Amino acid sequence: MDGKTRLEKMFEGLGGRPALIGFHTAGFPDRNASLRICRFLLEKCDALEVGIPFSDPVLDGPVIQQSSFRALRAGFRPRHIFSLVGELRKASDKPVLIMTYYNPVHRMGHGPFCEAAAEAGADGILIPDLPPEEMGDWRETANRHGMAVILFASMTTPDERLRELGGLTQGFLYCLAVKGTTGLRESLSRELAPFLEKARRLCSQPIVAGLGISKPEQCQEVGRLVDGVIVGSALVKAALDAVIAGEDPAIAVSALAAQMHEALCSG
Amino acid sequence: MSKEKASPRDLPDARGRFGAFGGRFVPETLISPLEELEKAYREAWTDRSFREELDFYLRDYAGRPTPLYRAERLSRELRGATLFLKREDLCHTGSHKINNTLGQCLLARRMGKRRVIAETGAGQHGVATATAAALLGLECEVYMGEVDMERQALNVFRMELLGARVIPVRCGSRTLKDAVNEALRDWVTNVDHTHYCLGSVVGPHPFPTLVRDLQSVIGKETRRQHLERTGRLPDCLVACVGGGSNSIGLFHPFLDTGVRMVGVEAGGTGDDPGQHGSTLRLGSIGVLHGARSYLLQDDEGQVLETHSISAGLDYPGVGPEHAFLKESGRVEYVGVSDAEALEAVDLLCRTEGILPALESAHAVAYAARLAREMGKGASIVICLSGRGDKDVNTLMAARSRGGERGGEITAWADHDSPFPYNPDPPAPFRLPG
C-alpha cells in the first residue's frame, strides 16, 4: 500500500462527483447468489457495504428484515461474511465495508473479528448500535488491523457532539438521512439539507448520506450536498422482487445501481 | 477519592453501568433523546410536586400501598416457613405494571410528548400503559406479538376498551422480544413527539434505572410492612424474572441488608435452547435492546427463541442490574418449569382463594419449595406480581391436556416437585366473582 486507504483513494478519484455506495445483505437469497449480487453491485458502485444478517435487526425496516431472515434461514452464519468479503476482494480493489449489529462482534470478540475482517480484505466496519461511548477497545483493535471505524450522525445529534463525531470517524461520516429505520421513502425529509450542510461545516472528513434514499432522483438531490450516497433497502428490494419473480437478482440490482450511478454523475 | 466499597444500591454509574452491564447500545438517533429523558427524569424525581402527584395517583388511583398478606393456609399446607404475599395483584389493572406506567406517563406529559408507545408480552404492561395514557390524555399504541395476542386475548380487548391501538407484531418469534424490536423501530422514527414507555428494567440507560426506581415502591412498602408485622426483616424474598421489573422493585430496597433473594426464571419444558426463558441461569453475556446483559444466544451471537407458558417470562434478555446481581452473587437465580407453575396456580387457588398470574406462579412454586427447606420460624415474601384472570384460556387448555402434565414434570424436573401431583381429575375452573 502507498499509505493511502482504499476509501481515501476512492474519494480522491471521483473527480468531484459524489460516490455511490451500495448495500447488500450477505447471504441473501443464499451464499452463492449473494456473492454474485455483490460482485455485480461492486462493478456499478464506488464501494460496497455488506451487512451481516442478525436475528433482531432493530434498526431495519421490513425489506432488510426480510432479507436478513431469509439469509439466516438459508444457513448464513456471521463468520461466512469473511469468505464473502475475501471473494469480493479477489475480484475488485474498491472499498468493501462490513455493516453489522454489535452482538455478533461482541460474541466473536473484538480481536478475532477484526483479524478475520482484515485477512478477508475489508476496509472498514460500521456498527450502528455501538456509539463511541460504548466502544471500549473496539477502535484501537480495529485500527490495529487496519479497519476504519466509521461513525454515524443523526438529525437529533447536537452540534457539539456532531463536531466530536466528525473528528472521531474514520473514512467518512455516515449521516442518517431520516429519523427511523432503513427502508424506502417516497420523499426526503425537509430537515435533511440543513443537517447535511451543518455536518459539512462541522466535520472535515467526507460526508456520506444514507437511510431512506431510494430513487435515482433522490440520489441526485442528496448528492449535491455530500461526498457520497449510500443506498440499501432500494437495492435489496430489487433483489427481493427479482427472487420472488423468479428472475436474476444480480441483474435487477445492478440495473438499478447503474441508474443511480448515472443520476449522480449527471447531478 | 475512591470509595472502598460502594453499596450496590448506588448503581448505576454516570454512564448507566451496573458493573460490566447496562450502557446505551443504541443508534445515534436515540442518543440525544435518551440523554434528554435521563435529564427530565432526574429533574422530575427531585421535584416535590412531581413526586406528590405520582404518590397521589399511586394511592388514590392505583390503590397503594398494597397489602403484605400472611398466607396462613398456604404456609400450613407446606408445613414450613411462613409465607407472605406482596399483593401487587390487587393494584389497579391487576399487576405491578401500573407503578411504572403512571410514573412514565406523568414524565411523558411533563416532557411535552403527546404520544406513548409500549411493548407488551402478557398484556399487563400494555393494559397499564393504556390505562395511564387514558388517565392523562395521551395517545397510546401498544406493540404485541401475534402469538401473545392469541394467548392473552382478554388483555388485547381491555387495551382497546381503554382507547389504545394494539399493533400485532408478525416478525421473528412473534412474542415479547419482537414487540420490543417494533417499539424501538417506532421510537427511533417518532422520537420528537413520542415517549417509549418501556415496561421492564431492560433497554438502554436510563430505562433500567427509571423503571427500577418506579417499581422500588414494592420493596419499600414490603420492608416497612414486614417490620411492623414481625419486628424484623424477612429471611427471604422470591420473585419471578422475565425482564425483571417486579423482582428488582422488591429486591432493590433490601440490597444493603442480609436478606436472601431468589429470582425465578421460566424453566419452560426443558433446558435445551428454545424450551425455556432462563436467561440468567442458562444464558451468556451479550448485547440486546440497547444494553449489555445476559442473553439467550447461539455461539455466533444470534438471539435464540424462548418458551414459557407465561407470556411475560417468554423473553431472551434480562435487565442489566440482574446480570450484575447474579455476577456479584447477591441474588440467586433459579428456574421453575411450566408444569410446576401450573401446579402453583392450583395450590394458591385451593389454599388461599387467590388466582395468581402464571408469571407470579413461578415465584409461588419456588417459594413453596424453599418454605419446606427453610422450615418453621423463617419468613418468606413472595411478590405476587399479578392476578391470573388473563391466563384462564391458557389454564383451561392446560387442564384439557390433562394427563400430559405428569409426563411433562418427570421429563424436566431434576428434583422432587414441591407438592405432589394430584392424579384426581381437577374441578372445572371458575373465574372469581
Side-chain angles (χ1 to χ4, degrees), chain A residues 53-60 65 77 79 103 106-107 128-129 131 133-134 154 156-157 161 179-181, chain B residues 15 17 23-25 27-29 32 177 181 185 188-189 192 284 286-287 292 297-303:
Chain A
F54 182 52
S55 55
D56 291 79
V58 226
L59 311 175
D60 286 304
Q65 279 180 48
R77 296 290 164 262
R79 66 189 135 82
N103 199 50
H106 183 272
R107 187 72 169 151
D129 57 350
E133 292 85 347
E134 302 293 354
S154 164
T156 61
T157 307
R161 185 177 168 88
K179 284 177 216 163
T181 54
Chain B
R15 293 162 62 221
R17 295 293 187 111
R24 199 174 267 167
F25 295 82
E28 179 60 29
T29 304
S32 180
K177 165 186 83 114
N181 290 345
R185 289 182 187 118
V188 77
T189 308
D192 291 340
S284 52
V287 174
R292 180 188 274 118
Q297 59 184 332
D298 70 12
D299 53 9
E300 293 193 296
Q302 306 286 350
V303 181

Side-chain angles (χ1 to χ4, degrees), chain A residues 133-152:
Chain A
E133 292 85 347
E134 302 293 354
M135 278 186 180
D137 69 355
W138 170 246
R139 195 181 154 89
E140 297 86 86
T141 309
N143 290 171
R144 199 165 56 241
H145 291 94
M147 292 296 104
V149 173
I150 297 155
L151 300 183
F152 297 80

